[in-house]
Amino acid sequence: MQSTDDVLVSYNPANGDEIGRVRMTSCQELDRIVADARAAYRDSGWQSLLPHKRALILHAVADGLTAEKESLAKLQMRDNGKPMGECLGMVDSAVGTFRYYAGVCETLETDVTPSRGDYVSFTVLEPYGVVAAITPWNSPLMNDATKVAPALAAGNAVILKPSEDSPLLAPELMRIAREAGLPQGQLQVVQGRGADIGAALVEHPDVRMVSFTGGTVAGRVIGRTAGERLIPAALELGGKSPHVVFADADREHAIAAVVAGIFGSAGQSCVAGSRVFIQHDIYDEVLERIVERASALRVDFPDVDGVEMGPLSSLHHRRRVIDFVDRARTEGGRILCGGQIPDDPRFAAGAFYLPTVIDGLSPRSRTCQEEAFGPVLVALPFDDEIDLVEKANDTDFGLACGIWTENFKKAWRIGRALDAGSVWINTYKQSVTSTPFGGFKDSGIGREKGIDGLRLYAQVKSLYLGLHEQPMKIAK
Ligand code: NDP
Protein backbone atom coordinates (compact mmCIF):
# COMPACT_ATOMS: atom_id res chain seq x y z
CA MET A 1 0.00 0.00 0.00
CA GLN A 2 1.24 3.46 -0.91
CA SER A 3 -0.67 6.61 -0.33
CA THR A 4 -1.00 10.23 -1.29
CA ASP A 5 -2.50 12.74 1.11
CA ASP A 6 -6.00 11.41 0.85
CA VAL A 7 -5.93 8.23 -1.25
CA LEU A 8 -4.74 4.74 -0.34
CA VAL A 9 -3.53 2.70 -3.31
CA SER A 10 -3.60 -1.07 -2.93
CA TYR A 11 -1.04 -3.21 -4.79
CA ASN A 12 -1.10 -6.93 -5.45
CA PRO A 13 1.91 -8.23 -3.46
CA ALA A 14 2.33 -11.12 -5.92
CA ASN A 15 3.21 -8.89 -8.89
CA GLY A 16 3.10 -5.24 -7.84
CA ASP A 17 0.01 -4.39 -9.94
CA GLU A 18 -2.30 -1.68 -8.65
CA ILE A 19 -5.63 -3.25 -7.76
CA GLY A 20 -7.67 -0.50 -6.17
CA ARG A 21 -7.86 2.87 -4.48
CA VAL A 22 -9.85 4.11 -1.54
CA ARG A 23 -10.24 7.59 -0.20
CA MET A 24 -8.97 8.21 3.31
CA THR A 25 -11.51 9.46 5.81
CA SER A 26 -10.85 12.97 7.11
CA CYS A 27 -11.40 13.98 10.73
CA GLN A 28 -14.46 16.07 9.69
CA GLU A 29 -15.91 13.03 7.93
CA LEU A 30 -15.21 10.94 11.00
CA ASP A 31 -17.40 13.28 13.07
CA ARG A 32 -20.23 12.87 10.57
CA ILE A 33 -19.80 9.06 10.44
CA VAL A 34 -19.88 8.77 14.22
CA ALA A 35 -22.93 11.06 14.33
CA ASP A 36 -24.65 8.84 11.72
CA ALA A 37 -23.77 5.75 13.73
CA ARG A 38 -25.22 7.32 16.89
CA ALA A 39 -28.35 8.30 15.05
CA ALA A 40 -28.69 4.78 13.61
CA TYR A 41 -28.14 3.28 17.06
CA ARG A 42 -30.86 5.51 18.56
CA ASP A 43 -33.39 5.62 15.77
CA SER A 44 -32.98 2.76 13.27
CA GLY A 45 -34.85 0.28 15.43
CA TRP A 46 -32.00 -2.25 15.16
CA GLN A 47 -31.37 -2.56 18.89
CA SER A 48 -35.06 -2.99 19.68
CA LEU A 49 -35.64 -5.44 16.83
CA LEU A 50 -36.73 -8.79 18.22
CA PRO A 51 -33.71 -11.08 18.37
CA HIS A 52 -35.05 -13.59 15.85
CA LYS A 53 -35.60 -10.75 13.35
CA ARG A 54 -32.11 -9.40 13.92
CA ALA A 55 -30.87 -12.96 13.40
CA LEU A 56 -32.65 -13.12 10.03
CA ILE A 57 -30.64 -10.16 8.79
CA LEU A 58 -27.38 -11.65 10.08
CA HIS A 59 -28.25 -14.83 8.17
CA ALA A 60 -28.92 -12.69 5.10
CA VAL A 61 -25.42 -11.19 5.45
CA ALA A 62 -24.06 -14.76 5.52
CA ASP A 63 -26.11 -15.54 2.38
CA GLY A 64 -24.70 -12.44 0.65
CA LEU A 65 -21.14 -13.42 1.53
CA THR A 66 -21.77 -16.96 0.28
CA ALA A 67 -23.18 -15.70 -3.02
CA GLU A 68 -20.00 -13.67 -3.60
CA LYS A 69 -17.56 -16.17 -2.13
CA GLU A 70 -15.38 -16.54 -5.21
CA SER A 71 -15.03 -12.82 -5.94
CA LEU A 72 -14.43 -11.91 -2.28
CA ALA A 73 -11.74 -14.58 -2.01
CA LYS A 74 -10.08 -13.30 -5.18
CA LEU A 75 -10.17 -9.74 -3.88
CA GLN A 76 -8.48 -10.78 -0.63
CA MET A 77 -5.92 -12.84 -2.56
CA ARG A 78 -5.00 -9.78 -4.61
CA ASP A 79 -5.15 -7.46 -1.61
CA ASN A 80 -2.79 -9.43 0.67
CA GLY A 81 -1.35 -12.31 -1.37
CA LYS A 82 -2.69 -15.31 0.53
CA PRO A 83 -3.22 -18.48 -1.54
CA MET A 84 -6.69 -18.72 -3.08
CA GLY A 85 -7.55 -21.87 -1.07
CA GLU A 86 -6.91 -20.00 2.18
CA CYS A 87 -8.89 -17.00 0.97
CA LEU A 88 -11.90 -19.19 0.16
CA GLY A 89 -11.60 -20.61 3.68
CA MET A 90 -11.59 -17.07 5.09
CA VAL A 91 -14.91 -16.29 3.39
CA ASP A 92 -16.36 -19.54 4.77
CA SER A 93 -15.15 -18.50 8.18
CA ALA A 94 -16.86 -15.09 7.90
CA VAL A 95 -20.08 -16.80 6.77
CA GLY A 96 -19.89 -19.20 9.72
CA THR A 97 -19.37 -16.32 12.12
CA PHE A 98 -22.46 -14.44 10.92
CA ARG A 99 -24.54 -17.65 11.15
CA TYR A 100 -23.19 -18.49 14.61
CA TYR A 101 -23.99 -15.05 16.04
CA ALA A 102 -27.41 -15.12 14.37
CA GLY A 103 -27.95 -18.30 16.41
CA VAL A 104 -26.54 -16.84 19.62
CA CYS A 105 -28.58 -13.65 19.17
CA GLU A 106 -31.76 -15.67 18.87
CA THR A 107 -31.11 -18.10 21.72
CA LEU A 108 -29.07 -16.18 24.29
CA GLU A 109 -30.87 -16.15 27.63
CA THR A 110 -30.45 -13.66 30.43
CA ASP A 111 -30.93 -14.38 34.13
CA VAL A 112 -33.61 -14.12 36.77
CA THR A 113 -31.51 -13.92 39.92
CA PRO A 114 -32.55 -15.44 43.29
CA SER A 115 -34.64 -12.98 45.28
CA ARG A 116 -33.75 -11.76 48.81
CA GLY A 117 -36.78 -9.56 49.35
CA ASP A 118 -40.12 -8.36 47.99
CA TYR A 119 -38.97 -8.05 44.46
CA VAL A 120 -37.89 -10.01 41.44
CA SER A 121 -34.45 -9.11 40.12
CA PHE A 122 -33.11 -9.97 36.75
CA THR A 123 -30.41 -8.98 34.29
CA VAL A 124 -30.55 -7.96 30.66
CA LEU A 125 -27.82 -7.14 28.16
CA GLU A 126 -27.66 -3.66 26.69
CA PRO A 127 -25.48 -2.64 23.75
CA TYR A 128 -22.79 -0.01 24.27
CA GLY A 129 -23.93 2.19 21.39
CA VAL A 130 -21.21 3.00 18.88
CA VAL A 131 -18.43 0.40 18.79
CA ALA A 132 -15.07 0.85 17.01
CA ALA A 133 -13.73 -2.33 15.37
CA ILE A 134 -10.10 -2.05 14.26
CA THR A 135 -8.60 -4.94 12.26
CA PRO A 136 -5.21 -5.96 10.80
CA TRP A 137 -4.29 -6.85 7.22
CA ASN A 138 -3.56 -10.56 7.49
CA SER A 139 -7.12 -11.95 7.25
CA PRO A 140 -9.32 -8.90 6.70
CA LEU A 141 -12.75 -10.38 6.04
CA MET A 142 -12.43 -13.06 8.71
CA ASN A 143 -11.21 -10.62 11.37
CA ASP A 144 -13.87 -8.06 10.38
CA ALA A 145 -16.62 -10.68 10.76
CA THR A 146 -15.29 -11.80 14.16
CA LYS A 147 -15.98 -8.30 15.47
CA VAL A 148 -18.84 -7.01 13.35
CA ALA A 149 -21.19 -10.03 13.65
CA PRO A 150 -21.30 -10.23 17.49
CA ALA A 151 -21.26 -6.43 17.90
CA LEU A 152 -24.27 -6.10 15.59
CA ALA A 153 -25.96 -9.13 17.17
CA ALA A 154 -25.70 -7.34 20.52
CA GLY A 155 -27.49 -4.32 19.01
CA ASN A 156 -24.62 -1.89 18.55
CA ALA A 157 -23.73 0.38 15.63
CA VAL A 158 -20.25 -0.49 14.36
CA ILE A 159 -17.54 1.62 12.76
CA LEU A 160 -14.99 -0.64 11.11
CA LYS A 161 -11.42 0.53 10.48
CA PRO A 162 -9.46 -1.93 8.32
CA SER A 163 -5.69 -1.75 7.91
CA GLU A 164 -4.39 0.71 5.34
CA ASP A 165 -2.61 -2.36 3.87
CA SER A 166 -5.84 -4.25 3.12
CA PRO A 167 -8.58 -1.66 2.67
CA LEU A 168 -10.68 -3.34 -0.02
CA LEU A 169 -12.71 -5.97 1.84
CA ALA A 170 -14.37 -3.88 4.54
CA PRO A 171 -16.39 -1.74 2.06
CA GLU A 172 -17.61 -4.98 0.44
CA LEU A 173 -18.79 -6.29 3.81
CA MET A 174 -20.59 -3.00 4.47
CA ARG A 175 -22.31 -3.15 1.06
CA ILE A 176 -23.38 -6.77 1.55
CA ALA A 177 -24.74 -5.97 5.01
CA ARG A 178 -26.76 -3.06 3.59
CA GLU A 179 -28.14 -5.27 0.82
CA ALA A 180 -29.07 -7.83 3.46
CA GLY A 181 -31.30 -5.27 5.15
CA LEU A 182 -29.07 -3.84 7.87
CA PRO A 183 -30.31 -0.29 8.55
CA GLN A 184 -28.34 2.61 7.08
CA GLY A 185 -25.56 3.80 9.38
CA GLN A 186 -25.50 0.64 11.50
CA LEU A 187 -22.22 -0.52 9.94
CA GLN A 188 -19.81 2.01 8.48
CA VAL A 189 -16.19 1.95 7.36
CA VAL A 190 -13.44 4.51 7.89
CA GLN A 191 -10.22 4.33 5.89
CA GLY A 192 -6.75 5.65 6.56
CA ARG A 193 -3.69 5.27 8.71
CA GLY A 194 -4.00 3.69 12.11
CA ALA A 195 -2.04 6.37 13.91
CA ASP A 196 -4.31 9.07 12.41
CA ILE A 197 -7.88 8.02 11.76
CA GLY A 198 -7.65 4.86 13.92
CA ALA A 199 -6.46 6.91 16.91
CA ALA A 200 -9.07 9.61 16.25
CA LEU A 201 -11.78 6.94 16.22
CA VAL A 202 -10.71 5.52 19.59
CA GLU A 203 -10.53 9.04 21.04
CA HIS A 204 -13.93 10.08 19.72
CA PRO A 205 -16.21 10.89 22.68
CA ASP A 206 -19.21 9.13 21.14
CA VAL A 207 -17.39 5.83 20.62
CA ARG A 208 -18.31 3.77 23.69
CA MET A 209 -16.32 0.56 23.19
CA VAL A 210 -13.32 -0.52 21.12
CA SER A 211 -12.40 -3.93 19.80
CA PHE A 212 -8.91 -4.18 18.36
CA THR A 213 -6.88 -6.91 16.67
CA GLY A 214 -3.31 -6.12 15.78
CA GLY A 215 0.16 -5.75 17.20
CA THR A 216 1.08 -5.25 20.85
CA VAL A 217 2.52 -1.78 20.27
CA ALA A 218 -0.71 -0.35 18.80
CA GLY A 219 -2.72 -2.40 21.33
CA ARG A 220 -0.97 -0.66 24.20
CA VAL A 221 -1.67 2.80 22.73
CA ILE A 222 -5.34 1.94 22.25
CA GLY A 223 -5.58 0.41 25.72
CA ARG A 224 -4.11 3.59 27.21
CA THR A 225 -6.62 5.82 25.40
CA ALA A 226 -9.50 3.54 26.36
CA GLY A 227 -8.30 3.61 29.98
CA GLU A 228 -8.24 7.41 29.98
CA ARG A 229 -11.71 7.50 28.49
CA LEU A 230 -13.00 4.69 30.75
CA ILE A 231 -14.39 2.72 27.86
CA PRO A 232 -13.90 -1.05 27.52
CA ALA A 233 -11.24 -2.27 25.11
CA ALA A 234 -10.99 -5.85 23.84
CA LEU A 235 -7.42 -6.42 22.61
CA GLU A 236 -6.35 -9.39 20.47
CA LEU A 237 -2.61 -8.97 20.03
CA GLY A 238 0.52 -10.71 18.80
CA GLY A 239 2.25 -13.95 19.72
CA LYS A 240 5.45 -15.98 19.70
CA SER A 241 3.80 -19.32 20.18
CA PRO A 242 5.79 -22.38 21.27
CA HIS A 243 5.24 -25.60 19.35
CA VAL A 244 6.56 -28.49 21.44
CA VAL A 245 7.72 -31.90 20.18
CA PHE A 246 8.40 -34.46 22.91
CA ALA A 247 10.53 -37.54 22.21
CA ASP A 248 7.43 -39.76 22.42
CA ALA A 249 5.47 -37.75 19.82
CA ASP A 250 4.07 -39.16 16.60
CA ARG A 251 6.88 -37.59 14.58
CA GLU A 252 5.22 -37.74 11.19
CA HIS A 253 2.21 -35.75 12.44
CA ALA A 254 4.28 -33.44 14.63
CA ILE A 255 6.70 -32.45 11.85
CA ALA A 256 3.86 -31.83 9.37
CA ALA A 257 2.05 -29.68 11.96
CA VAL A 258 5.15 -27.68 12.88
CA VAL A 259 5.70 -26.86 9.19
CA ALA A 260 2.02 -26.03 8.56
CA GLY A 261 1.83 -24.10 11.84
CA ILE A 262 4.51 -21.61 10.85
CA PHE A 263 4.53 -21.52 7.06
CA GLY A 264 0.75 -21.48 6.51
CA SER A 265 -0.25 -17.91 5.56
CA ALA A 266 3.51 -17.34 5.10
CA GLY A 267 3.75 -17.03 8.88
CA GLN A 268 1.50 -13.96 8.88
CA SER A 269 -0.76 -15.38 11.51
CA CYS A 270 -1.01 -14.30 15.13
CA VAL A 271 -0.99 -17.96 16.23
CA ALA A 272 1.90 -19.04 14.02
CA GLY A 273 4.00 -21.59 15.91
CA SER A 274 7.16 -19.55 15.51
CA ARG A 275 9.30 -21.24 18.20
CA VAL A 276 9.67 -25.01 17.90
CA PHE A 277 10.91 -26.72 21.08
CA ILE A 278 12.28 -30.21 20.35
CA GLN A 279 13.34 -32.62 23.10
CA HIS A 280 17.13 -33.15 23.14
CA ASP A 281 17.23 -36.86 22.21
CA ILE A 282 15.37 -36.25 18.93
CA TYR A 283 16.47 -32.66 18.24
CA ASP A 284 18.84 -33.29 15.32
CA GLU A 285 16.63 -35.81 13.56
CA VAL A 286 13.39 -33.81 13.87
CA LEU A 287 15.02 -30.52 12.98
CA GLU A 288 16.59 -32.05 9.87
CA ARG A 289 13.18 -33.31 8.73
CA ILE A 290 11.54 -29.94 9.41
CA VAL A 291 14.24 -28.21 7.34
CA GLU A 292 13.80 -30.77 4.55
CA ARG A 293 10.05 -30.12 4.43
CA ALA A 294 10.39 -26.36 4.68
CA SER A 295 12.89 -26.31 1.82
CA ALA A 296 10.54 -28.39 -0.34
CA LEU A 297 7.47 -26.18 0.19
CA ARG A 298 6.07 -24.88 -3.04
CA VAL A 299 6.40 -21.09 -3.00
CA ASP A 300 4.42 -19.69 -5.88
CA PHE A 301 1.77 -17.22 -7.03
CA PRO A 302 -1.32 -17.44 -4.80
CA ASP A 303 -3.65 -18.54 -7.61
CA VAL A 304 -1.47 -21.45 -8.78
CA ASP A 305 -2.79 -24.95 -8.07
CA GLY A 306 -0.75 -26.64 -5.38
CA VAL A 307 0.83 -23.46 -4.01
CA GLU A 308 1.81 -23.85 -0.36
CA MET A 309 3.17 -20.40 0.36
CA GLY A 310 2.38 -17.18 -1.48
CA PRO A 311 4.13 -13.82 -1.16
CA LEU A 312 4.16 -11.71 1.99
CA SER A 313 1.46 -9.09 2.15
CA SER A 314 3.55 -6.17 0.92
CA LEU A 315 7.08 -5.17 -0.02
CA HIS A 316 7.40 -3.05 3.11
CA HIS A 317 6.36 -5.98 5.30
CA ARG A 318 8.95 -8.16 3.53
CA ARG A 319 11.52 -5.51 4.39
CA ARG A 320 10.66 -6.00 8.08
CA VAL A 321 11.09 -9.78 7.73
CA ILE A 322 14.44 -9.38 5.94
CA ASP A 323 15.63 -7.10 8.75
CA PHE A 324 14.42 -9.61 11.33
CA VAL A 325 16.44 -12.43 9.74
CA ASP A 326 19.50 -10.18 9.34
CA ARG A 327 19.34 -9.46 13.04
CA ALA A 328 19.10 -13.21 13.75
CA ARG A 329 22.39 -13.58 11.86
CA THR A 330 24.05 -10.89 13.93
CA GLU A 331 22.77 -12.60 17.08
CA GLY A 332 24.63 -15.75 15.97
CA GLY A 333 21.72 -17.71 14.48
CA ARG A 334 22.44 -20.48 11.94
CA ILE A 335 20.16 -20.14 8.92
CA LEU A 336 19.32 -23.75 8.08
CA CYS A 337 17.14 -22.92 5.09
CA GLY A 338 15.67 -19.84 3.42
CA GLY A 339 16.83 -16.52 4.81
CA GLN A 340 16.49 -14.93 1.39
CA ILE A 341 14.26 -13.85 -1.46
CA PRO A 342 13.72 -16.62 -4.05
CA ASP A 343 15.96 -16.11 -7.07
CA ASP A 344 13.30 -17.16 -9.62
CA PRO A 345 12.90 -14.11 -11.93
CA ARG A 346 9.11 -14.74 -12.17
CA PHE A 347 8.83 -13.45 -8.61
CA ALA A 348 10.94 -10.32 -9.09
CA ALA A 349 8.10 -7.80 -8.71
CA GLY A 350 6.41 -9.61 -5.81
CA ALA A 351 6.99 -9.69 -2.04
CA PHE A 352 8.17 -13.32 -1.93
CA TYR A 353 10.45 -14.73 0.77
CA LEU A 354 11.62 -18.30 1.34
CA PRO A 355 10.55 -20.44 4.33
CA THR A 356 13.28 -19.90 6.89
CA VAL A 357 14.47 -22.06 9.78
CA ILE A 358 17.05 -20.81 12.28
CA ASP A 359 18.74 -22.44 15.26
CA GLY A 360 21.70 -21.89 17.55
CA LEU A 361 20.14 -18.95 19.40
CA SER A 362 19.58 -18.31 23.07
CA PRO A 363 15.88 -18.41 24.04
CA ARG A 364 16.40 -14.85 25.36
CA SER A 365 17.69 -13.52 22.01
CA ARG A 366 15.47 -10.94 20.32
CA THR A 367 14.87 -13.38 17.45
CA CYS A 368 13.33 -15.83 19.94
CA GLN A 369 11.42 -13.12 21.80
CA GLU A 370 9.95 -10.86 19.11
CA GLU A 371 7.29 -11.58 16.56
CA ALA A 372 8.49 -11.78 12.92
CA PHE A 373 4.97 -12.18 11.54
CA GLY A 374 6.56 -13.94 8.59
CA PRO A 375 7.82 -17.40 7.49
CA VAL A 376 10.54 -17.63 10.13
CA LEU A 377 10.85 -20.55 12.55
CA VAL A 378 13.37 -20.69 15.39
CA ALA A 379 14.31 -24.10 16.79
CA LEU A 380 15.27 -24.63 20.43
CA PRO A 381 16.19 -27.83 22.31
CA PHE A 382 14.85 -28.73 25.77
CA ASP A 383 15.77 -31.39 28.34
CA ASP A 384 12.63 -32.18 30.32
CA GLU A 385 9.24 -30.77 31.32
CA ILE A 386 10.69 -28.29 33.82
CA ASP A 387 13.24 -26.96 31.35
CA LEU A 388 10.57 -26.71 28.65
CA VAL A 389 8.02 -24.80 30.73
CA GLU A 390 10.64 -22.37 31.94
CA LYS A 391 11.93 -21.62 28.43
CA ALA A 392 8.57 -21.63 26.64
CA ASN A 393 6.97 -19.26 29.18
CA ASP A 394 9.95 -16.93 29.20
CA THR A 395 8.41 -14.44 26.77
CA ASP A 396 6.03 -11.49 27.06
CA PHE A 397 3.49 -13.22 24.82
CA GLY A 398 0.91 -15.87 25.65
CA LEU A 399 -1.37 -16.43 22.69
CA ALA A 400 -1.19 -20.13 21.78
CA CYS A 401 0.90 -23.28 21.95
CA GLY A 402 1.08 -26.75 20.42
CA ILE A 403 2.09 -29.94 22.25
CA TRP A 404 3.03 -33.23 20.59
CA THR A 405 3.21 -36.29 22.84
CA GLU A 406 1.45 -39.64 23.01
CA ASN A 407 1.24 -39.27 26.80
CA PHE A 408 -2.05 -37.61 27.66
CA LYS A 409 -1.22 -36.91 31.29
CA LYS A 410 1.92 -35.11 30.21
CA ALA A 411 -0.01 -33.19 27.55
CA TRP A 412 -2.49 -32.09 30.21
CA ARG A 413 0.27 -31.01 32.64
CA ILE A 414 2.11 -29.02 30.00
CA GLY A 415 -1.10 -27.59 28.55
CA ARG A 416 -2.02 -26.26 31.99
CA ALA A 417 1.50 -24.99 32.71
CA LEU A 418 2.10 -22.99 29.52
CA ASP A 419 0.97 -19.35 29.35
CA ALA A 420 -1.39 -19.47 26.38
CA GLY A 421 -5.01 -18.63 25.61
CA SER A 422 -5.29 -21.58 23.20
CA VAL A 423 -3.58 -24.96 23.66
CA TRP A 424 -3.47 -27.46 20.83
CA ILE A 425 -2.62 -31.04 21.80
CA ASN A 426 -1.63 -33.29 18.89
CA THR A 427 -3.07 -30.75 16.48
CA TYR A 428 -2.36 -27.12 15.64
CA LYS A 429 -4.04 -23.89 14.55
CA GLN A 430 -7.58 -25.19 14.82
CA SER A 431 -10.08 -22.42 15.27
CA VAL A 432 -13.81 -22.58 15.63
CA THR A 433 -16.29 -19.75 16.15
CA SER A 434 -17.92 -21.49 19.10
CA THR A 435 -14.70 -21.66 21.18
CA PRO A 436 -13.32 -18.56 22.96
CA PHE A 437 -10.10 -17.08 21.60
CA GLY A 438 -7.67 -14.58 23.11
CA GLY A 439 -4.33 -14.12 24.75
CA PHE A 440 -2.54 -14.29 28.10
CA LYS A 441 0.06 -11.65 29.09
CA ASP A 442 0.96 -9.20 26.29
CA SER A 443 -1.10 -11.17 23.77
CA GLY A 444 -4.27 -9.42 24.81
CA ILE A 445 -7.22 -8.77 27.04
CA GLY A 446 -10.66 -10.29 26.56
CA ARG A 447 -11.97 -13.26 24.60
CA GLU A 448 -13.61 -13.17 21.19
CA LYS A 449 -15.72 -15.98 19.69
CA GLY A 450 -18.07 -18.29 21.56
CA ILE A 451 -21.20 -17.14 23.33
CA ASP A 452 -19.14 -14.72 25.39
CA GLY A 453 -18.03 -13.16 22.12
CA LEU A 454 -21.46 -11.54 22.05
CA ARG A 455 -21.39 -10.54 25.73
CA LEU A 456 -18.13 -8.72 24.95
CA TYR A 457 -20.21 -6.16 23.07
CA ALA A 458 -22.91 -5.77 25.71
CA GLN A 459 -23.18 -4.36 29.20
CA VAL A 460 -25.16 -6.01 31.94
CA LYS A 461 -28.11 -4.13 33.37
CA SER A 462 -29.85 -5.33 36.55
CA LEU A 463 -33.55 -4.61 37.02
CA TYR A 464 -35.65 -4.99 40.16
CA LEU A 465 -39.41 -5.38 40.00
CA GLY A 466 -41.15 -4.56 43.30
CA LEU A 467 -43.73 -6.98 44.70
CA HIS A 468 -44.39 -5.16 48.00
CA GLU A 469 -47.66 -5.86 49.79
CA GLN A 470 -46.88 -3.01 52.29
CA PRO A 471 -45.51 0.53 51.64
CA MET A 472 -41.72 0.67 51.91
CA LYS A 473 -40.17 1.82 55.21
CA ILE A 474 -36.80 3.33 55.97
CA ALA A 475 -34.53 0.50 57.09
CA LYS A 476 -33.59 0.79 60.79
P1 NDP B 1 -1.01 -3.10 13.73
O1 NDP B 1 -1.11 -3.16 15.18
O2 NDP B 1 0.01 -2.24 13.11
O3 NDP B 1 -2.40 -2.60 13.10
C1 NDP B 1 -3.64 -3.22 13.36
C2 NDP B 1 -4.75 -2.23 13.05
O4 NDP B 1 -4.68 -1.14 13.96
C3 NDP B 1 -4.64 -1.61 11.66
O5 NDP B 1 -5.94 -1.31 11.17
C4 NDP B 1 -3.87 -0.33 11.95
O6 NDP B 1 -4.05 0.62 10.95
C5 NDP B 1 -4.51 0.08 13.26
N1 NDP B 1 -3.71 0.94 14.11
C6 NDP B 1 -2.36 1.05 14.19
N2 NDP B 1 -2.02 1.97 15.13
C7 NDP B 1 -3.16 2.45 15.65
C8 NDP B 1 -3.49 3.43 16.66
N3 NDP B 1 -2.54 4.09 17.34
N4 NDP B 1 -4.78 3.68 16.94
C9 NDP B 1 -5.76 3.01 16.29
N5 NDP B 1 -5.53 2.10 15.31
C10 NDP B 1 -4.25 1.81 15.01
O7 NDP B 1 -0.90 -4.58 13.25
P2 NDP B 1 -0.76 -5.15 11.78
O8 NDP B 1 -1.88 -4.65 10.91
O9 NDP B 1 0.64 -4.93 11.33
O10 NDP B 1 -1.03 -6.70 12.06
C11 NDP B 1 -0.05 -7.52 12.56
C12 NDP B 1 -0.23 -7.73 14.05
O11 NDP B 1 -1.54 -8.16 14.36
C13 NDP B 1 0.67 -8.84 14.54
O12 NDP B 1 1.29 -8.46 15.73
C14 NDP B 1 -0.28 -9.99 14.80
O13 NDP B 1 0.16 -10.91 15.74
C15 NDP B 1 -1.51 -9.27 15.21
N6 NDP B 1 -2.70 -10.11 15.01
C16 NDP B 1 -3.33 -10.60 16.11
C17 NDP B 1 -4.41 -11.46 15.98
C18 NDP B 1 -5.13 -11.98 17.19
O14 NDP B 1 -6.27 -12.39 17.05
N7 NDP B 1 -4.54 -12.01 18.36
C19 NDP B 1 -4.91 -11.84 14.65
C20 NDP B 1 -4.19 -11.24 13.56
C21 NDP B 1 -3.10 -10.40 13.76
P3 NDP B 1 -2.95 0.78 9.77
O15 NDP B 1 -2.61 -0.59 9.29
O16 NDP B 1 -3.70 1.56 8.76
O17 NDP B 1 -1.81 1.47 10.38
Side-chain angles (χ1 to χ4, degrees):
M1 172 67 47
Q2 280 179 5
S3 54
T4 62
D5 275 354
D6 61 355
V7 174
L8 295 173
V9 186
S10 180
Y11 294 95
N12 183 342
N15 55 22
D17 289 350
E18 180 180 326
I19 54 161
R21 288 172 175 241
V22 298
R23 221 170 48 74
M24 289 201 249
T25 309
S26 68
C27 284
Q28 291 74 17
E29 284 169 316
L30 178 67
D31 279 339
R32 183 188 49 71
I33 286 168
V34 177
D36 287 353
R38 264 196 92 193
Y41 172 68
R42 248 188 356 241
D43 307 328
S44 76
W46 175 252
Q47 62 156 313
S48 56
L49 203 60
L50 290 171
H52 65 285
K53 296 199 169 159
R54 218 185 282 159
L56 276 179
I57 293 180
L58 297 176
H59 276 300
V61 178
D63 293 339
L65 291 167
T66 305
E68 298 188 32
K69 176 173 170 177
E70 192 79 17
S71 61
L72 290 167
K74 271 193 187 139
L75 187 63
Q76 169 164 332
M77 180 186 70
R78 294 201 303 262
D79 207 16
N80 76 355
K82 279 196 176 179
M84 187 61 182
E86 275 190 55
C87 294
L88 289 165
M90 302 278 160
V91 183
D92 285 340
S93 164
V95 168
T97 300
F98 273 93
R99 295 217 187 282
Y100 178 80
Y101 283 108
V104 175
C105 173
E106 202 174 335
T107 55
L108 190 70
E109 291 178 355
T110 45
D111 301 322
V112 177
T113 40
S115 185
R116 284 175 171 251
D118 293 339
Y119 49 78
V120 177
S121 62
F122 45 97
T123 58
V124 294
L125 295 174
E126 301 280 13
Y128 282 102
V130 179
V131 166
I134 302 177
T135 54
W137 44 259
N138 63 332
S139 309
L141 192 59
M142 188 179 89
N143 280 320
D144 296 349
T146 301
K147 298 188 183 311
V148 169
L152 288 176
N156 298 284
V158 182
I159 299 178
L160 175 60
K161 167 19 203 131
S163 168
E164 65 187 286
D165 284 327
S166 58
L168 302 182
L169 275 300
E172 295 302 306
L173 177 60
M174 181 173 83
R175 173 184 58 76
I176 289 168
R178 280 287 298 136
E179 289 167 5
L182 190 73
Q184 180 81 35
Q186 207 71 42
L187 171 63
Q188 297 179 82
V189 173
V190 296
Q191 298 277 14
R193 297 191 187 90
D196 302 334
I197 201 70
L201 180 62
V202 179
E203 282 160 17
H204 199 289
D206 289 329
V207 167
R208 301 307 313 159
M209 190 264 173
V210 56
S211 177
F212 169 80
T213 295
T216 298
V217 173
R220 245 185 250 290
V221 174
I222 289 168
R224 209 172 291 135
T225 306
E228 277 294 321
R229 295 199 47 225
L230 296 177
I231 61 169
L235 305 173
E236 297 290 346
L237 309 177
K240 190 81 180 175
S241 299
H243 204 157
V244 181
V245 186
F246 279 100
D248 65 354
D250 176 329
R251 290 186 208 170
E252 199 53 40
H253 280 263
I255 290 164
V258 167
V259 170
I262 178 65
F263 299 118
S265 306
Q268 301 165 120
S269 159
C270 53
V271 293
S274 49
R275 291 181 298 156
V276 60
F277 286 91
I278 307 169
Q279 199 155 19
H280 250 130
D281 328 6
I282 58 163
Y283 184 79
D284 290 339
E285 181 217 322
V286 168
L287 184 57
E288 193 182 318
R289 288 171 66 187
I290 290 172
V291 170
E292 219 168 78
R293 293 240 186 160
S295 312
L297 285 176
R298 177 153 180 203
V299 176
D300 214 323
F301 293 106
D303 55 351
V304 165
D305 268 354
V307 58
E308 291 176 292
M309 213 180 89
L312 298 182
S313 69
S314 63
L315 289 170
H316 59 263
H317 182 54
R318 183 176 69 177
R319 184 69 253 166
R320 288 198 284 261
V321 173
I322 291 172
D323 291 346
F324 186 92
V325 175
D326 283 348
R327 197 183 56 209
R329 287 188 176 94
T330 64
E331 286 188 307
R334 283 196 304 155
I335 312 294
L336 304 175
C337 66
Q340 63 185 68
I341 294 169
D343 50 19
D344 186 334
R346 291 184 306 137
F347 300 143
F352 291 88
Y353 195 77
L354 289 175
T356 300
V357 181
I358 307 173
D359 92 332
L361 286 163
S362 143
R364 290 300 307 159
S365 64
R366 288 181 67 186
T367 308
C368 293
Q369 291 290 319
E370 294 177 15
E371 192 180 30
F373 216 58
V376 183
L377 176 69
V378 286
L380 294 153
F382 70 93
D383 297 327
D384 51 22
E385 290 183 35
I386 293 172
D387 184 40
L388 167 74
V389 171
E390 197 179 308
K391 285 176 175 159
N393 280 347
D394 189 16
T395 148
D396 292 336
F397 293 112
L399 193 57
C401 69
I403 301 164
W404 289 87
T405 169
E406 292 295 287
N407 180 333
F408 258 84
K409 288 183 191 163
K410 180 160 68 184
W412 178 259
R413 279 195 302 275
I414 300 298
R416 295 301 303 264
L418 292 184
D419 300 332
S422 294
V423 176
W424 290 298
I425 297 169
N426 293 341
T427 182
Y428 200 76
K429 230 179 175 182
Q430 306 295 339
S431 178
V432 59
T433 316
S434 51
T435 303
F437 177 80
F440 280 28
K441 302 191 318 199
D442 287 5
S443 289
I445 299 174
R447 294 290 177 269
E448 292 191 306
K449 303 189 174 179
I451 293 171
D452 287 342
L454 190 151
R455 293 187 203 275
L456 191 63
Y457 297 97
Q459 41 198 341
V460 173
K461 181 180 278 178
S462 302
L463 293 104
Y464 292 76
L465 201 65
L467 301 173
H468 312 287
E469 299 290 350
Q470 303 295 326
M472 288 179 77
K473 290 184 186 150
I474 293 175
K476 287 180 190 151

